Amino acid sequence: MLFHCYGKSCILLNYDGNYSFLKNDLDSSEWKVILPYIEKNRLSSFPVNEGLLTDNLTYFQNSLSSPHMQIRLIDARSSPNTLSGILLITGNVPPQQLLRNKNFPIQAIYLDASNSLFCIREWEKYCERRQIPLHKTTDTGCICIPL
């Protein structure tokens, strides 16, 4: 779940009645944005450690993998050699910085509200040229990606 929190990132993994943050820049006073979701879904907290999370779900080096998909969290500290599956872009990482004219098998790109308008426009151009689906919390609010 990508929450729309202006200028910040909040990416929550909701799996089998439990939740953990893959990324959370919110301070405690800003939790009012996400608490209704956690309470409504009656989620219990669990820590995300690298490795096997469940029989069908692994998390390693900012990459969440299930038998059906791979989701990669990209922020300013990321420097992946290869990219595939679904990309979650946070923290103003423009396509020029990340992709450097390489073509990767990207299924979709998701942008949260931590990205500037300039960065979002750069991703819009990139995705339009390559016909990659682009989803933005600025358009839809929260975004849920089914595993």
Side-chain angles (χ1 to χ4, degrees):
M1 174 71 73
L2 278 78
F3 289 92
H4 182 74
C5 306
Y6 182 75
K8 302 210 176 171
S9 293
C10 184
I11 302 171
L12 179 140
L13 171 63
N14 171 356
Y15 191 78
D16 199 26
N18 298 293
Y19 79 93
S20 189
F21 293 103
L22 300 181
K23 183 162 184 160
N24 184 12
D25 296 339
L26 302 179
D27 59 43
S28 58
S29 67
E30 298 170 306
W31 272 57
K32 62 183 176 272
V33 174
I34 58 172
L35 278 178
Y37 175 82
I38 292 170
E39 291 169 354
K40 179 181 179 198
N41 291 287
R42 296 184 178 141
L43 301 177
S44 299
S45 175
F46 78 96
V48 170
N49 298 312
E50 289 201 344
L52 186 66
L53 300 179
T54 69
D55 290 341
N56 294 318
L57 197 60
T58 59
Y59 186 70
F60 184 69
Q61 296 181 342
N62 285 342
S63 183
L64 185 66
S65 299
S66 75
H68 309 292
M69 69 173 50
Q70 180 178 17
I71 299 173
R72 188 105 192 208
L73 175 61
I74 305 294
D75 61 18
R77 296 174 299 212
S78 302
S79 57
N81 293 326
T82 61
L83 296 170
S84 62
I86 294 172
L87 304 183
L88 309 180
I89 309 294
T90 73
N92 274 329
V93 179
Q96 303 86 334
Q97 176 184 333
L98 182 63
L99 303 171
R100 295 180 181 79
N101 296 324
K102 297 178 184 174
N103 288 318
F104 294 110
I106 299 170
Q107 294 172 326
I109 293 177
Y110 290 80
L111 303 174
D112 70 8
S114 69
N115 295 289
S116 68
L117 187 55
F118 174 79
C119 185
I120 291 171
R121 287 195 176 129
E122 291 297 307
W123 279 108
E124 287 171 341
K125 289 187 252 181
Y126 178 86
C127 290
E128 186 177 331
R129 283 193 304 270
R130 289 164 179 79
Q131 298 181 338
I132 297 172
L134 177 65
H135 308 276
K136 304 170 285 188
T137 62
T138 54
D139 290 344
T140 60
C142 297
I143 299 175
C144 180
I145 304 169
L147 296 175

